[in-house]
Amino acid sequence: MAGLDQPMSVRQISDLAINFEFQPHIALKYWLRTAETMLRESQIYEQEGNGQQAYLLLMRYASLVLEYFPKHPQAGAPEAKAGLKAATKAITEVVQRMESLKPAINARYISWQEELERRGNISAPTRNGSRRQGGFDPAVAGRRTTLAAADNSDLAVEMAHNEMRRRQTKRRATRQGGISEHEEQERRTAGLWDDWEAALSKIPDTRNDLEDDAQMQRDMYASRMRTSKPYSQTSDGSPRATIESIQSRPELPRGPCTDYRYPSIPKPQPVTIDNTNQSRKARSQSPSKPTVPQRPRKDRLEEQSFDEPPTRPEKSVPVTPAVSVPGTKESYTFKPSAYLENGKPLRTVFLPTTLREKFLQIAAPNTLKNLETCGMLCGTLVSNALFISHVVIPEQESTSDTCDTINESGFFDYCATEDLMVLGWIHTHPSQTCFMSSRDLHTHCGYQIMMAESIAIVCAPSRNPSWGVFRLTDPPGMPSILHCRKTGLFHPHEETNIYTDALRPGHVCEHDGLQFQLVDLRSK
């Protein structure tokens, strides 16, 4: 009898969402950026019909804002108030989005359990006697259309290009419709961040500061009240569930195996067919058909799809189809390509092969002067894989051993306008070897806190090897750097394996067909 991947219940996703370590040693501005990244990712997952992962990110956002941010040592600082106020302001919509996702998640889980009962196999064992490990990763749990991104890199890049063009067309249509960039960004983030980055550089007026402090306390109190009561009232007077009620409601029974572990090698899963009108229209616009994995044979059980649960009469929940490729009927979700040392999954990061060469051309004048140059690796999320589409050179101050960005608000404004996520950074070592210095390790820790898949590319054009793609190990690298209080550019650390190569067989995959832009924001 064929195995069946388990979708996740709301309770399982919630438990996973709040199971993370909050580090108060990390500056609050990095945590605020982490929260912003979560919202961006949740919107993409929701648009692609992946409600499980969207729900996890929204729940974790709510946990950060309501439980951890108020306890951060910098929470009372005047420069942090604008960011905290903006984050708190978004809680109401976050709760509403979670409520809208919950029925589809539960219906999918119920459908799975009913099918197991029909087969008389309530524990759904696999060949080794345990459930498939993918059932405990919300991004891929219960989805039969998962593929290994690196093994299907041409398909993944084609999907990314199509999706990025679609988003670009949508942004262009929005501009032509008379909606400004500021208005579009405010709509996209639900007015979350306002202009709090600019507020960081302003010296607050004492009276206004006290008024803002009081208002923020009132907002925080109201948000906590909304999540501490079983129900709140909607505009029409009907009860609406909130985060606390989601966590406290009795959930569907779970099987005996609930440990959250990941395999060393992901198992292949069969492909399903998506006969949506959107896919048929996309097929007619493509002159060629890309090579896709051969569809395996299926029994009657596997013909049932759990990606889109049945609509219930009392509440219809629209589900956006997953990303599909012109010329094919299938739509795909890419599964993790590697895992952290603690077992948590890492999504594949696609890196353009020519990116390093183009960056070194821009950095050449500084390299000749023995000055470092740094750039930010930005991109987007498509079908649970990350694609670097931009190298942004921010304003910076450099020495032979350091490179510090300035005017960060200008860089983040550009990312917001282009709807980009920060996926890592790249910098040169003009006269040193290719390695991660102590300063580099502490810098990258801030990126990897925001996104576990973040990478650091080091270019040492005068040495061999001339470049490398790295990430911190976790553990021991991340905990070691988080708790390190040493100063100095080249201070030692006790651990020897504090960082590691991230290029395949890690989670980074180079692809010579991936398009990207190089944008220089430095003053001319």
Side-chain angles (χ1 to χ4, degrees):
M1 184 160 45
L4 177 63
D5 279 344
Q6 173 189 345
M8 298 182 72
S9 68
V10 167
R11 171 63 65 182
Q12 290 171 328
I13 300 172
S14 299
D15 290 345
L16 184 58
I18 62 177
N19 183 23
F20 67 94
E21 184 178 2
F22 182 78
Q23 292 287 346
H25 309 298
I26 297 293
L28 184 56
K29 70 175 183 178
Y30 292 117
W31 281 115
L32 288 167
R33 283 296 169 193
T34 301
E36 179 185 19
T37 299
M38 287 180 184
L39 283 190
R40 286 181 182 272
E41 290 183 85
S42 71
Q43 289 165 354
I44 294 174
Y45 278 115
E46 189 172 355
Q47 290 167 2
E48 293 181 348
N50 195 332
Q52 292 184 144
Q53 186 67 8
Y55 191 96
L56 178 140
L57 292 166
L58 293 170
M59 174 66 81
R60 186 165 291 175
Y61 175 91
S63 179
L64 278 171
V65 173
L66 295 178
E67 299 298 326
Y68 292 100
F69 285 177
K71 302 174 184 177
H72 194 280
Q74 297 173 346
E79 62 270 18
K81 292 179 181 178
L84 289 173
K85 182 179 179 180
T88 305
K89 180 181 176 182
I91 286 294
T92 299
E93 180 168 343
V94 165
V95 173
Q96 292 173 350
R97 288 175 60 194
M98 291 169 64
E99 285 300 304
S100 69
L101 292 169
K102 183 180 178 183
I105 295 173
N106 275 338
R108 195 170 167 220
Y109 188 80
I110 291 171
S111 180
W112 173 80
Q113 282 203 323
E114 289 174 347
E115 185 61 32
L116 289 183
E117 292 174 359
R118 185 187 68 79
R119 295 181 61 185
N121 186 22
I122 192 62
S123 61
T126 57
R127 292 180 181 178
N128 62 3
S130 62
R131 285 192 183 125
R132 292 190 186 182
Q133 303 292 350
F136 297 99
D137 181 358
V140 298
R143 307 181 77 88
R144 297 188 299 107
T145 55
T146 57
L147 295 175
D151 294 339
N152 299 275
S153 58
D154 290 342
L155 175 63
V157 169
E158 182 179 359
M159 289 174 63
H161 285 163
N162 292 335
E163 179 62 13
M164 285 187 277
R165 281 194 292 267
R166 186 194 67 79
R167 295 177 190 176
Q168 181 66 27
T169 300
K170 183 178 179 181
R171 284 198 298 271
R172 195 159 46 239
T174 301
R175 302 280 192 273
Q176 293 173 353
I179 299 176
S180 66
E181 293 180 2
H182 176 76
E183 290 174 325
E184 180 191 3
Q185 177 62 15
E186 186 171 285
R187 292 183 184 185
R188 184 163 56 241
T189 60
L192 170 61
W193 301 108
D194 296 323
D195 196 21
W196 67 269
E197 279 287 348
L200 293 178
S201 60
K202 296 180 181 179
I203 300 177
D205 175 75
T206 303
R207 184 179 62 182
N208 291 337
D209 185 39
L210 293 175
E211 292 175 355
D212 290 343
D213 194 15
Q215 181 62 44
M216 187 174 68
Q217 291 179 8
R218 288 192 293 269
D219 292 342
M220 185 67 74
Y221 176 77
S223 296
R224 287 189 173 183
M225 288 298 292
R226 284 194 296 270
T227 58
S228 64
K229 296 179 180 180
Y231 293 91
S232 62
Q233 297 294 321
T234 58
S235 58
D236 60 358
S238 60
R240 181 184 65 222
T242 56
I243 295 177
E244 185 66 24
S245 64
I246 290 171
Q247 291 182 305
S248 62
R249 288 180 187 172
E251 283 295 333
L252 300 165
R254 285 176 282 178
C257 179
T258 57
D259 290 338
Y260 187 67
R261 300 186 181 93
Y262 294 94
S264 299
I265 303 176
K267 297 181 179 180
Q269 301 179 27
V271 177
T272 191
I273 299 297
D274 180 10
N275 292 318
T276 61
N277 291 332
Q278 181 178 359
S279 297
R280 286 195 293 270
K281 180 179 179 181
R283 288 199 304 274
S284 64
Q285 296 174 349
S286 176
S288 60
K289 180 175 182 178
T291 302
V292 298
Q294 183 178 0
R295 179 181 175 179
R297 300 178 61 181
K298 306 177 184 179
D299 61 12
R300 189 169 68 87
L301 171 63
E302 288 184 310
E303 289 298 329
Q304 179 179 358
S305 173
F306 294 93
D307 289 342
E308 296 188 13
T311 302
R312 299 199 157 198
E314 64 269 19
K315 187 170 184 179
S316 176
V317 181
V319 179
T320 305
V323 176
S324 59
V325 185
T328 71
K329 294 181 179 180
E330 291 84 2
S331 58
Y332 302 105
T333 297
F334 293 109
K335 54 191 174 185
S337 59
Y339 298 85
L340 291 173
E341 289 70 18
N342 59 20
K344 293 183 179 179
L346 292 172
R347 297 164 293 188
T348 303
V349 175
F350 281 94
L351 172 68
T353 304
T354 59
L355 182 147
R356 178 172 46 93
E357 177 185 349
K358 298 294 184 183
F359 172 73
L360 286 175
Q361 291 175 2
I362 293 292
N366 276 354
T367 303
L368 291 174
K369 299 175 185 177
N370 196 29
L371 297 175
E372 285 195 2
T373 306
C374 72
M376 303 298 145
L377 305 175
C378 304
T380 191
L381 169 70
V382 178
S383 293
N384 204 45
L386 298 160
F387 299 84
I388 295 174
S389 61
H390 289 70
V391 181
V392 183
I393 314 295
E395 296 184 56
Q396 52 196 267
E397 295 176 342
S398 302
T399 70
S400 59
D401 299 315
T402 65
C403 185
D404 297 318
T405 60
I406 58 178
N407 188 22
E408 287 188 342
S409 61
F411 164 69
F412 285 113
D413 285 344
Y414 176 81
C415 291
T417 300
E418 297 298 319
D419 203 13
L420 297 172
M421 293 187 294
V422 180
L423 305 180
W425 61 306
I426 181 172
H427 73 288
T428 58
H429 282 179
S431 56
Q432 297 186 53
T433 57
C434 179
F435 76 110
M436 292 280 281
S437 68
S438 298
R439 187 184 180 96
D440 294 341
L441 294 172
H442 283 265
T443 298
H444 187 65
C445 185
Y447 290 95
Q448 203 164 315
I449 272 287
M450 290 190 287
M451 181 178 289
E453 293 84 1
S454 295
I455 59 174
I457 301 178
V458 180
C459 299
S462 63
R463 301 301 178 95
N464 187 22
S466 61
W467 70 294
V469 184
F470 307 111
R471 67 165 175 87
L472 295 177
T473 55
D474 190 7
M478 281 290 286
S480 174
I481 298 300
L482 286 170
H483 294 93
C484 177
R485 297 295 176 268
K486 297 178 182 178
T487 59
L489 294 180
F490 302 105
H491 63 264
H493 296 97
E494 295 180 1
E495 291 76 7
T496 56
N497 59 331
I498 215 162
Y499 68 96
T500 186
D501 188 2
L503 197 60
R504 195 177 184 189
H507 70 291
V508 178
C509 177
E510 277 196 299
H511 197 283
D512 56 7
L514 182 57
Q515 302 168 8
F516 73 99
Q517 299 179 40
L518 198 151
V519 180
D520 195 340
L521 299 181
R522 293 174 295 181
S523 301
K524 302 299 182 181

